[in-house]
Amino acid sequence: MTQVAKALLVDDRRENLMALEAILQGLPVQSVAVESGEAALKQLLVDDFAVILLDAQMPDMDGFETASHIKRRERTRHVPIIFLTAADRDAQLALRGYAVGAVDYLTKPFDPWVLRAKVSVFVELWTKTRQLAAQSEMVRERDAQWRLLTDAVDEATTLLRSADDNPDAIAQALTTLEQARWGPTPD
């Protein structure tokens, strides 16, 4: 089953969340909107995300503190964060965002097509990473099967070499090979 990439949208203003959801509409990503840093941290405990769009300035826990918590957790430290803020182009805020682990920092008003492009890149990276992990697991499983089959062939070869026309040894070797090929037969 293919897992759908998700984007976590974090903003204390509902209208901003609705605007972000509209911007991302049509992309191969499911938006999950929350209205606080605390809610974002809780959501990150239950879901995996391809990207986080995080408002820098929120009451209680601001975006910088939220990002700091996200980057400290092993499970979430590699999730890319794009800060979004209505603050004027204060270089110190951008530097602060990058210092807590953001991959980008956009000030409003921003070009929605630029944001879509950035999110698309992270969704594609997330998808490719999942595909590689699945392929890697398949290779590990095949390697394990190959080792079992090789061991069975080695065991059968040893039995056949020592058989000296012994029907029991030959039968045991055949059973070993059949089990390696088809799995154990029920008794």
Side-chain angles (χ1 to χ4, degrees):
M1 174 168 46
T2 305
Q3 191 178 8
V4 174
K6 295 179 183 177
L8 181 59
L9 317 178
V10 188
D11 197 305
D12 60 309
R13 299 182 64 190
R14 186 76 207 136
E15 62 272 18
N16 289 345
L17 291 171
M18 289 176 14
L20 288 173
E21 288 173 329
I23 289 169
L24 299 181
Q25 202 164 27
L27 291 179
V29 65
Q30 177 185 344
S31 297
V32 176
V34 296
E35 295 182 13
S36 70
E38 293 88 351
L41 294 174
K42 287 178 185 173
Q43 194 65 47
L44 286 161
L45 291 173
V46 295
D47 274 327
D48 292 324
F49 291 91
V51 63
I52 300 169
L53 305 181
L54 182 57
D55 182 23
Q57 298 178 328
M58 296 183 291
D60 300 324
M61 182 186 297
D62 68 14
F64 304 109
E65 186 179 351
T66 303
S68 178
H69 285 291
I70 291 168
K71 293 301 179 179
R72 275 187 280 197
R73 291 180 179 172
E74 181 62 35
R75 181 170 186 237
T76 57
R77 76 171 31 130
H78 299 294
V79 179
I81 297 172
I82 299 175
F83 271 109
L84 306 173
T85 184
D88 57 6
R89 291 171 162 61
D90 182 352
Q92 287 303 110
L93 284 179
L95 288 174
R96 188 173 169 205
Y98 291 122
V100 294
V103 296
D104 210 345
Y105 192 96
L106 300 176
T107 55
K108 299 173 189 171
F110 52 82
D111 184 337
W113 293 105
V114 169
L115 182 61
R116 284 176 62 89
K118 290 174 185 287
V119 169
S120 291
V121 167
F122 291 117
V123 166
E124 187 173 337
L125 287 171
W126 184 88
T127 302
K128 297 288 186 205
T129 300
R130 295 295 174 285
Q131 289 171 347
L132 285 172
Q135 288 173 350
S136 178
E137 181 58 31
M138 283 179 19
V139 167
R140 277 193 294 279
E141 288 174 9
R142 290 274 166 95
D143 284 348
Q145 290 173 346
W146 185 254
R147 278 191 301 279
L148 288 173
L149 186 57
T150 302
D151 291 347
V153 168
D154 290 345
E155 183 182 338
T157 301
T158 301
L159 287 168
L160 288 171
R161 285 197 173 126
S162 66
D164 290 332
D165 292 328
N166 178 347
D168 290 336
I170 293 170
Q172 187 177 355
L174 285 172
T175 300
T176 299
L177 289 173
E178 287 171 351
Q179 285 180 346
R181 176 69 175 108
W182 306 109
T185 55
D187 293 330

